[in-house]
Amino acid sequence: MECHEIADRSAVSIKPKQPFADWLNKIFPDEKQFTLKELLYSVNSSVYLIPPADTPEEVEEYLAAIFDSIFSNELITWVTVDSLWPQNRTFELFKSWFSWDIAPIIFDLAEEHVHDEDCDCGSEH
């Protein structure tokens, strides 16, 4: 039996809810209207690695502290013009637009180690 390395992280998979679908369809009224089912199975689904978390409460507490970064990532995936985004993004709005699934244990099956890639997010690695 092969043993795989356990990453020192948990993962959160972000899933859109109906209010997000409604907003997206309002932004693009003349284009194809998305159903929630289409959004849930979109290639634009995101998974975020977070510090290890043992309970849903720990995850929610962490998300409350960093939600705007995730919110922005989710919005820019669909709408690149940030002036079209909701300007008053609160954690309550985030929770009404998105749900999340938690994976508390992450097995790293890749042979190479995780590494940082260059990004335009303005932070230094």
Side-chain angles (χ1 to χ4, degrees), residues 88-108:
N88 187 21
R89 293 184 300 276
T90 64
F91 188 51
E92 292 306 313
L93 182 64
F94 178 80
K95 291 191 300 185
S96 73
W97 281 25
F98 302 100
S99 63
W100 54 84
D101 293 323
I102 305 162
I105 300 172
I106 307 299
F107 291 95
D108 188 352

Side-chain angles (χ1 to χ4, degrees), residues 65-81:
I66 56 108
F67 78 91
D68 197 48
S69 177
I70 294 174
F71 210 151
S72 296
N73 284 340
E74 296 304 310
L75 295 173
I76 202 165
T77 300
W78 293 94
V79 179
T80 58
V81 180

Side-chain angles (χ1 to χ4, degrees), residues 24-59:
L24 188 60
N25 288 326
K26 184 178 175 185
I27 295 294
F28 301 112
D30 297 331
E31 296 185 27
K32 177 189 179 295
Q33 298 291 285
F34 292 100
T35 66
L36 182 57
K37 184 176 180 178
E38 289 171 323
L39 294 179
L40 285 170
Y41 296 101
S42 163
V43 295
N44 294 338
S45 295
S46 302
V47 174
Y48 297 87
L49 296 180
I50 63 171
D54 294 323
T55 67
E57 293 80 18
E58 285 180 304
V59 172

